[in-house]
Amino acid sequence: MKICLDYVTNSSSSSFIFGEPCKYDWSIERVGRFCQEIEISWLNKISEVEYALKANPAVYKELQQIRANHDWERKWNFETYIMNPEEYKGRLKKDLELSNTVRKMIEEFTDEDFIDLLVDSYGIKTLEKLAVGKPEDAIAVLSGALVLDCTDFSNNTEKRLSIVKKELDSPYSANLIWEVLEWYLDFSYIEEIEENKMPFCEYNEMYEDLKGLLRQWPRQFDKENGPDEEQKLEYIKKGMACIHKYLGQIVVASELECVYLSPIPRDIAKKLKYGCTHMG
C-alpha cells in the first residue's frame, strides 16, 4: 500500500493505493475490512484508556468535560497531563502513576494523535458507526471521495462512477485520477521529459503508456466544450488501466482530509513497511 496525505503544499488531500500492480488480490471490500480492523483497534484502545482513567474520578471528569465542550485549550493541557506530567501546570492534581500507565497503553500510537481522538466525542461516534457498518463504508476513515477498483472497470458500481463524474465536473476540483498519476508517476512531466530527451525514458514502457495517455487527457474537464460523459469515462478507463499496471489495484483519493479521523491515516502509515505522511 502506498500513502500520501497531500498532493501539494498547504493541501489537505489524501490518496491511498492498495495492492501490488498487475495483480488481482485486493477488492474494495477487502480495503474496507482492513480499515475496520484499524478502526476496531483504536476503539478497543480508547475503551482501555477510559477504564484506566476512571481510577481517578477527577481526571475522568476532565476528559468528559473536554468532550462535551470541545475545549481545545483544555485538551492541550490534558495531553500534557498524560504525556508530560512534569510540565503540567493546570488545576488537576498530578497522578504520575496514572500518567505512566496511560503512556504505556498508547505507546504503539502517536501520542498526540491518540489524545486528539480520545477527547473527540464526535470522532469516536463516527468511528463506532464505521467499524460495524458495511466494509466499503468503513473506507470513509481515509476520507475517500473517490474509490475505484482499477483491476476491472466493470467492478465499479454506478454510484461510484457517478461520484467520479461529479468530481470531473466540479469547478473547484481537478480530476483525482489525474492527481494520482501526476503525484506518483510525474504524469504531468512526460512532455518535459520528451522535450529534454532524457535517456532513461527513451524506451521505457511506462513512459510510452503515459505519453500516449497524456496526449488524449483533457487538462480540465469542467471547461466549456470539454469532452462528453462517454468520453470522460473512456479517459477514466485508460487512467485506471495505467494505475493498475504501474501503481496498484484499489485507489482511495480525496481532496479533503478526514477532519475528525485524521489520526487514523497517520497511524496506518506508521504500520507500513513503505509509507509516509508529509506536506508538500
Side-chain angles (χ1 to χ4, degrees), residues 6-157:
D6 47 22
Y7 296 130
V8 294
T9 303
N10 296 327
S11 166
S12 295
S13 306
S14 310
S15 68
F16 301 80
I17 302 176
F18 292 80
E20 294 181 44
C22 298
K23 294 187 178 181
Y24 296 85
D25 54 335
W26 277 82
S27 65
I28 292 173
E29 184 179 358
R30 183 179 174 186
V31 172
R33 291 198 303 270
F34 172 82
C35 291
Q36 285 183 320
E37 290 175 5
I38 301 292
E39 292 157 3
I40 289 169
S41 71
W42 274 74
L43 289 170
N44 288 342
K45 187 59 66 175
I46 286 171
S47 294
E48 292 177 25
V49 170
E50 284 182 338
Y51 184 80
L53 293 176
K54 287 179 180 178
N56 188 319
V59 175
Y60 185 66
K61 183 179 179 180
E62 179 72 3
L63 171 63
Q64 290 178 307
Q65 290 178 344
I66 294 171
R67 285 175 174 175
N69 299 319
H70 304 286
D71 188 329
W72 287 101
E73 185 174 352
R74 289 176 72 174
K75 174 264 173 187
W76 293 322
N77 286 335
F78 187 77
E79 181 183 335
T80 302
Y81 182 87
I82 297 296
M83 304 311 304
N84 301 292
E86 66 282 356
E87 299 177 11
Y88 178 73
K89 299 178 181 179
R91 61 181 175 277
L92 290 174
K93 184 179 179 180
K94 292 183 181 181
D95 188 336
L96 296 181
E97 183 179 352
L98 179 62
S99 296
N100 288 332
T101 297
V102 173
R103 282 203 304 276
K104 289 179 182 178
M105 293 175 71
I106 66 173
E107 61 186 0
E108 64 192 275
F109 303 94
T110 302
D111 50 17
E112 181 180 352
D113 287 350
F114 187 87
I115 301 296
D116 281 349
L117 193 52
L118 176 68
V119 303
D120 186 353
S121 57
Y122 183 86
I124 292 172
K125 289 177 182 177
T126 302
L127 207 59
E128 288 171 343
K129 290 179 182 178
L130 296 176
V132 299
K134 296 178 181 179
E136 55 266 31
D137 293 337
I139 297 174
V141 75
L142 308 180
S143 63
L146 169 62
V147 183
L148 286 178
D149 182 348
C150 293
T151 64
D152 185 354
F153 187 77
S154 64
N155 284 347
N156 297 283
T157 66

Side-chain angles (χ1 to χ4, degrees), residues 173-187:
S173 172
N175 181 347
L176 290 176
I177 289 182
W178 170 280
E179 297 282 5
V180 170
L181 290 168
E182 181 178 30
W183 181 258
Y184 290 103
L185 299 177
D186 283 339
F187 185 52

